Amino acid sequence: MTARKPDPSELDLTDVKWRVSSHSGGGGNCVRMGAKDGYILVGDSQNPGRLPHVFTTAEAQAWILGAKDGEFDSLLDF
C-alpha cells in the first residue's frame, strides 16, 4: 500500500526555499517549486498565498524527465 501524500494544508510551508525558473523573465509568470518533508511542491508564483500541489519525488522525476524529452511541448501549441 502506498502512503498517503499530505494535503498541502497539513504542511508548514514557512521554511520552504522556493525556486522559480530563470525562463520566467522575472515577471512572476512561472510556477515555483520547493521541497518539504520528502515531497516536491509546485505552486503559483503569481499567487504565493495559494497552497501548492504536492508530489512524490518519483512523480516529479517522471514529469521532469518527460519535459526534458519534449513530451509536453504540444501543450504549448495553442
Side-chain angles (χ1 to χ4, degrees), residues 38-60:
Y39 293 98
I40 304 301
L41 309 174
V42 178
D44 183 346
S45 64
Q46 288 186 334
N47 297 290
R50 287 188 181 166
L51 292 173
H53 296 279
V54 179
F55 299 96
T56 66
T57 54
E59 290 170 328

Side-chain angles (χ1 to χ4, degrees), residues 3-68:
R4 180 187 72 82
K5 289 189 290 190
D7 186 277
S9 65
E10 298 170 353
L11 298 172
D12 177 6
L13 303 175
T14 56
D15 63 344
V16 173
K17 295 190 182 358
W18 294 101
R19 299 175 190 183
V20 177
S21 170
S22 62
H23 295 276
S24 70
N29 56 344
C30 195
V31 298
R32 62 185 192 157
M33 296 184 73
K36 179 71 177 186
D37 298 338
Y39 293 98
I40 304 301
L41 309 174
V42 178
D44 183 346
S45 64
Q46 288 186 334
N47 297 290
R50 287 188 181 166
L51 292 173
H53 296 279
V54 179
F55 299 96
T56 66
T57 54
E59 290 170 328
Q61 181 181 36
W63 186 86
I64 289 170
L65 292 173
K68 286 181 175 182

